[in-house]
Amino acid sequence: MPKTARGLDYVIDDFRPPWAATRLPVIFNHGIGTNRDIWAAWVPVIAAERKVVRFDMRGFGQSVCPSEDHAWSMDELVQDLWEIADQAGTEKVHLMGESMGGTIVLAAAVAHPERVASVSISNASFKGKGIGELAYWRDQFAQGGPAGWSRRMMDNRFAPGAGDPAALAWFEQEQAKTKPHVAIGLGSVLARSDLTQELRGLHVPVSITLPDSSPFVPVAHGAELKEIAPNARLRVVPGVRHGLPFSHAQEEAQELLRFLNAMEG
């Protein structure tokens, strides 16, 4: 797979016939503990109509992994995202992010609204205050290592019986590869994030999707964001935990496609 100058591994999927290649591409940003393949089941749905650009965030998958003394920042993560967006071949793009990836795409839209056709976020927030579980991660890694942390995260992400067992086994295995300093470093960036003031001036269309049972992001955050962002909509999915984009991939991909097509008429 190709890598950017900043060491980010990415893949572009495009299943469109050549005479139907006019719609804008979508850049997908995953969250903490996963990699670009969290979107694998989304690809056949979206790439049939649009170019799909997925990447491994720094510290995950095949992308560069910073040292333990790395100074993590939202600015760096936003710059990473725009470097990936440059690979799409168009000036303007749609942004899609899950969990912390959702916070990153919101920050990226604030940084360069002229390049954004729309922003979609799933199980994500615009601020760190009120997000659950982050304060316990250091102790969880210390006590159970990455595998123990991953098991705890699986309980937070998926209700019993939610999802294909083979897919969930893959997810837990990949999540257990997370390096503690990466998760803790990114978690600290998320915890101190607050895009409230910046989002008041963002007129880009924003689609907010939240599960009603995430231990991390309360539905109240979505309701608050809907009031803050001038052009936002909110959809709440009942009976689902934080792993919504993975456990309900095809349904959520169809929802995204409907939103994107509506944005472009």
Side-chain angles (χ1 to χ4, degrees):
M1 296 297 177
K3 277 188 169 62
T4 67
R6 296 165 68 87
L8 303 173
D9 200 79
Y10 69 95
V11 61
I12 298 177
D13 298 290
D14 190 351
F15 304 152
R16 298 171 297 174
W19 57 86
T22 59
R23 292 191 180 276
L24 292 174
V26 191
I27 315 300
F28 285 83
N29 199 137
H30 67 80
I32 299 172
T34 61
N35 57 49
R36 65 171 178 251
D37 285 333
I38 189 178
W39 307 108
W42 292 57
V43 171
V45 177
I46 308 299
E49 297 190 21
R50 298 172 179 276
K51 185 183 293 184
V52 169
V53 186
R54 298 173 292 143
F55 72 106
D56 292 330
M57 283 176 59
R58 62 177 57 239
F60 298 101
Q62 303 302 310
S63 287
V64 63
C65 185
S67 63
E68 294 192 10
D69 61 353
H70 182 69
W72 294 90
S73 72
M74 183 61 75
D75 286 344
E76 177 184 55
L77 299 169
V78 166
Q79 291 168 18
D80 284 350
L81 176 60
W82 282 119
E83 184 183 51
I84 292 296
D86 289 341
Q87 316 308 313
T90 60
E91 179 65 17
K92 211 161 194 177
V93 296
H94 295 283
L95 300 178
M96 171 71 205
E98 70 92 21
S99 196
M100 186 177 183
T103 312
I104 295 168
V105 300
L106 286 171
V110 166
H112 291 289
E114 74 283 357
R115 295 194 59 184
V116 181
S118 75
V119 177
S120 298
I121 64 172
S122 180
N123 56 298
S125 183
F126 65 100
K127 63 179 181 178
K129 186 177 181 180
I131 291 182
E133 291 286 322
L134 293 178
Y136 307 120
W137 281 6
R138 190 177 297 275
D139 288 342
Q140 289 170 10
F141 276 111
Q143 294 168 8
W149 175 80
S150 181
R151 284 192 295 272
R152 170 68 177 170
M153 287 289 286
M154 292 299 289
D155 290 338
N156 288 328
R157 290 188 190 274
F158 305 106
D164 172 52
L168 296 176
W170 172 86
F171 195 109
E172 183 172 358
Q173 181 180 5
E174 292 299 312
Q175 190 170 242
K177 297 176 183 177
T178 302
K179 294 176 175 59
H181 77 278
V182 172
I184 293 168
L186 288 170
S188 67
V189 172
L190 180 58
R192 61 178 181 264
S193 296
D194 190 341
L195 299 171
T196 302
Q197 295 306 317
E198 294 91 336
L199 289 170
R200 294 188 191 281
L202 181 69
H203 293 273
V204 169
V206 177
S207 176
I208 310 156
T209 300
L210 282 175
D212 70 348
S213 303
S214 170
F216 295 102
V217 183
V219 171
H221 276 206
E224 187 177 349
L225 176 55
K226 183 178 181 295
E227 296 304 313
I228 291 170
N231 191 6
R233 70 167 199 174
L234 171 63
R235 182 172 63 93
V236 178
V237 182
V240 187
R241 295 183 187 172
H242 198 69
L244 170 64
F246 191 75
S247 62
H248 294 62
Q250 293 193 4
E251 301 96 318
E252 291 303 300
Q254 292 287 356
E255 286 286 346
L256 175 63
L257 201 57
R258 282 190 284 271
F259 173 68
L260 300 183
N261 291 343
M263 290 304 97
E264 293 184 32

